[in-house]
Amino acid sequence: MTTHTNTTAAARATGRPRILIVGGGFAGVECARRLERRLKPHEALITLVTPFDYQLYLPLLPQVASGVLTPQSVAVSLRRGLRRTRVLPGGAIGVDAAAKVCVVRKITDEVVNEPYDVIVLAPGSITRTFDIPGLAEHARGMKTLAEAAYLRDHVIAQLDLADAATDAAEREARLRFVVVGGGYAGTETAACLQRITTAACERYPRLDARDVHWHILDVAPKLMPELGDRLGAEAARTLRRRGIEVSLGVSVAKAEADRVTLTDGRELPCRTLIWTAGVAASPLVGTLGAETVKGRLAVTDRMTLPGFDGVFALGDAAAVPDRAKGDGAVCPPTAQHAQRQGKVVADNVVASLRGEPLRPYVHKDLGLVVDLGGKDAVSKPLGVQLTGLPAQAVARGYHLLALRTNVAKVRTATNWLLNAAAGDDYVRTGFQSRRPATLRDFEYTDAYLTPEEIRSRTSSSADAG
C-alpha cells in the first residue's frame, strides 16, 4: 500500500507546512497561482490534485462541441502558470479530516494517501441527474472536454447516418436533437450546435436543413431567468427565429435509444439527448461528514469549514455566503465567483499560516454573457442589457480577458477568425465511435470511498507508519 510521498518526507524534514489543493478548475488553479506569489519557497509545499494538466475554460465548451474552437483553445496548460506547485495527476476520492489525509486515485488507478496540514477543497461539480428511466444509458453530458469532443463526433455522425439512411423513420430520429436544460450550458450548446447542423446540410446532398429539429426543454417557466425577463425573452425569440423549439415547464419522462418521451405526453423520435439540467457538488463533499446546504459544504464567509481544522472549501462544492446580496444568499456556482474565491482563500491560507486575521469573501457579479453563435448573443455587463452584435462583442471580449495565458487568448481569437472566414469541415475524429459513452464514463461518479473505507485506509497507514 502506498502511503507517503517523497514530498511528504521533505515537508517533515524541513518543517514546511503542506498545502493540498483539490481541483484544477477556476477556484483551485487561481488559489495555487496566488499562493505561489504570496509564499516564498521555504514557507510551504504546495500540491495540486487534478486528473488533467490543464484548466478547462468551461464557458466556451459549447464552442468546442460545435467545432468553432479546438479543444486546446479551452484547455489552458497548468505548466505555463504554475512554477512551484507539485501537480499530482489524479482525483481525490475521500478526505479524513481528523487524520489530515486525502485519499487520491491517480490516473493509473493507484490509490495513495496524501497527508496535508492545510487542505483547500475545490473539487467542483458534476452533472445533476434524476431517476428517469433510460437517462443514464442514453443521455450525453456537456461538463468535460472529452464530452464536448464526443458530442461533436456524435452529432456529425447523425448527419452522416441520416444522409445514408434509406428508412424515413430512422432519418427523422437522427435529425432530431433534444437538449434538457434551459440554463447557460443548455442554451449555448443548442444554439451553437444548431448552427453547424443547419450549415452542414449544404454538404449533404440528401439532407434538407428544414428537416433538422432542435428542442430545448426546461421545467422552469422562463429561459435563463438569471438574465431577467427582457433578455431571457429576447434569447428565446432568437432561438425560435432560428428554428429551435423551446418548451418550458416540461422535461423528459423516459429516454430510449431512438425516442424520448416528455412529461407532457409527447413522444419524439430522437437519437441525441443532451443533458445539461444543472450541476451538483462533487461527491467528495459527502466523504467528510460535514454540514451541507443543498449538497454543498456549509462554509463561513472566510471559506473555512466550521469544526474542521485546516480545511477551506470554495467554488461549486461550497455554499459560500454571498455578502453582496445578504439575506442568507449563497454565491452561485459560476466561474466568476470561483476565480475570485480562489484568490481570497489563498490570502486566508497565508494569513492562517502567519497568524493573521482572515478576511471575508465579498464580490458583486460583474454581469452575464451568453453567446448564441454567429452574430447572436445577449449580455448584461454591469447591469447594462445588450443584444445582437454589441452583446457578442462584450461576450467574446470577456472570454478573451478571462483566459489565463496569452497563448490561449491568441489561439481562441484565431479560431474565431478562421471559423468566421472559412467555416467548418464537419469532420469526425472517431472518438469512442464504437461504444456509446454515458454520463458516468466521463465523470467517474462511482469512484468515491465511503467514510468507513477512508478511515480504514488512513488508520491502517498510520499503524504501518
Side-chain angles (χ1 to χ4, degrees):
M1 178 184 296
T2 303
T3 55
H4 304 324
T5 64
N6 292 334
T7 301
T8 303
R12 288 176 172 172
T14 61
R16 287 183 290 177
R18 299 158 296 187
I19 303 172
L20 183 64
I21 304 169
V22 175
F26 287 99
V29 172
E30 194 60 44
C31 179
R33 286 165 57 93
R34 195 168 183 90
L35 284 173
E36 286 193 353
R37 291 195 294 270
R38 294 288 315 276
L39 293 172
K40 293 180 172 59
H42 69 271
E43 288 189 272
L45 291 171
I46 307 169
T47 298
L48 175 66
V49 178
T50 176
F52 308 111
D53 62 352
Y54 61 80
Q55 176 192 348
L56 176 63
Y57 189 73
L58 198 62
L60 288 177
L61 207 54
Q63 296 194 34
V64 173
S66 66
V68 173
L69 297 178
T70 62
Q72 291 84 358
S73 301
V74 300
V76 182
S77 171
L78 296 180
R79 308 292 178 181
R80 284 185 179 272
L82 300 178
R83 303 301 183 188
R84 303 199 325 261
T85 300
R86 166 182 169 244
V87 178
L88 178 57
I93 58 175
V95 177
D96 186 337
K100 290 200 168 184
V101 172
C102 179
V103 183
V104 178
R105 175 171 278 121
K106 296 167 72 174
I107 58 174
T108 59
D109 278 339
E110 177 189 6
V111 178
V112 300
N113 290 354
E114 190 68 24
Y116 65 84
D117 296 298
V118 176
I119 189 168
V120 176
L121 297 174
S125 56
I126 61 171
T127 302
R128 181 182 62 184
T129 57
F130 301 95
D131 189 20
I132 297 172
L135 181 67
E137 295 80 11
H138 302 297
R140 312 287 172 247
M142 259 293 290
K143 192 75 170 61
T144 67
L145 191 57
E147 283 177 309
Y150 171 77
L151 184 58
R152 173 175 166 79
D153 265 21
H154 172 81
V155 168
I156 295 174
Q158 302 316 300
L159 299 179
D160 289 343
L161 292 166
D163 185 66
T166 56
D167 180 70
E170 179 189 352
R171 182 181 290 111
E172 180 185 5
R174 293 198 183 280
L175 294 180
R176 179 172 278 110
F177 306 88
V178 176
V179 180
V180 183
Y184 300 111
T187 301
E188 290 189 332
T189 297
C192 291
L193 283 170
Q194 183 267 345
R195 280 180 57 85
I196 72 159
T197 52
T198 302
C201 286
E202 296 180 2
R203 310 277 182 89
Y204 291 86
R206 302 179 66 245
L207 297 185
D208 189 324
R210 291 171 296 183
D211 294 330
V212 178
H213 300 286
W214 280 85
H215 299 250
I216 296 178
L217 313 177
D218 200 300
V219 293
K222 298 178 182 178
L223 192 71
M224 292 183 292
E226 300 90 344
L227 286 172
D229 291 345
R230 178 176 172 269
L231 288 184
E234 177 61 28
R237 279 194 297 270
T238 299
L239 296 174
R240 287 176 173 133
R241 186 179 68 246
R242 284 168 38 182
I244 300 174
E245 183 176 342
V246 179
S247 297
L248 301 174
V250 64
S251 188
V252 173
K254 181 182 179 182
E256 300 174 75
D258 60 353
R259 68 193 63 250
V260 172
T261 303
L262 307 186
T263 52
D264 62 5
R266 282 183 289 168
E267 187 175 273
L268 304 177
C270 171
R271 298 284 184 127
T272 305
L273 175 62
I274 304 171
W275 185 266
T276 64
V279 297
S282 166
L284 183 67
V285 166
T287 71
L288 281 92
E291 182 183 352
T292 60
V293 176
K294 294 183 178 180
R296 302 165 72 186
L297 289 169
V299 297
T300 68
D301 58 5
R302 271 76 174 167
M303 287 167 286
T304 57
L305 190 61
F308 291 78
D309 180 46
V311 179
F312 294 82
L314 67 163
D316 293 5
V320 180
D322 191 341
R323 292 185 52 162
K325 290 184 177 179
D327 296 326
V330 298
C331 297
T334 64
Q336 189 178 139
H337 277 291
Q339 200 165 38
R340 286 160 177 79
Q341 288 169 7
K343 294 179 181 179
V344 176
V345 162
D347 290 342
N348 284 345
V349 169
V350 173
S352 69
L353 294 177
R354 296 174 178 171
E356 299 169 355
L358 278 59
R359 67 184 177 96
Y361 173 72
V362 183
H363 170 70
K364 187 176 182 180
D365 269 331
L366 297 177
L368 306 167
V369 295
V370 181
D371 189 334
L372 300 175
K375 300 176 182 178
D376 297 326
V378 291
S379 298
K380 195 177 181 181
L382 301 174
V384 180
Q385 300 186 14
L386 301 172
T387 61
L389 280 176
Q392 185 65 279
V394 168
R396 297 203 167 181
Y398 172 83
H399 292 317
L400 286 178
L401 288 173
L403 287 166
R404 272 302 175 190
T405 67
N406 289 330
V407 171
K409 296 176 194 290
V410 171
R411 184 177 284 126
T412 298
T414 302
N415 280 183
W416 280 336
L417 290 171
L418 183 61
N419 185 268
D424 199 329
D425 283 331
Y426 315 109
V427 174
R428 285 184 289 117
T429 62
F431 185 70
Q432 276 199 248
S433 59
R434 291 295 179 186
R435 183 173 66 88
T438 66
L439 293 170
R440 181 173 292 185
D441 290 330
F442 290 107
E443 297 191 280
Y444 308 103
T445 53
D446 56 349
Y448 296 86
L449 302 180
T450 65
E452 293 75 20
E453 290 172 328
I454 296 168
R455 285 193 294 270
S456 174
R457 275 193 58 85
T458 55
S459 61
S460 61
S461 297
D463 293 341

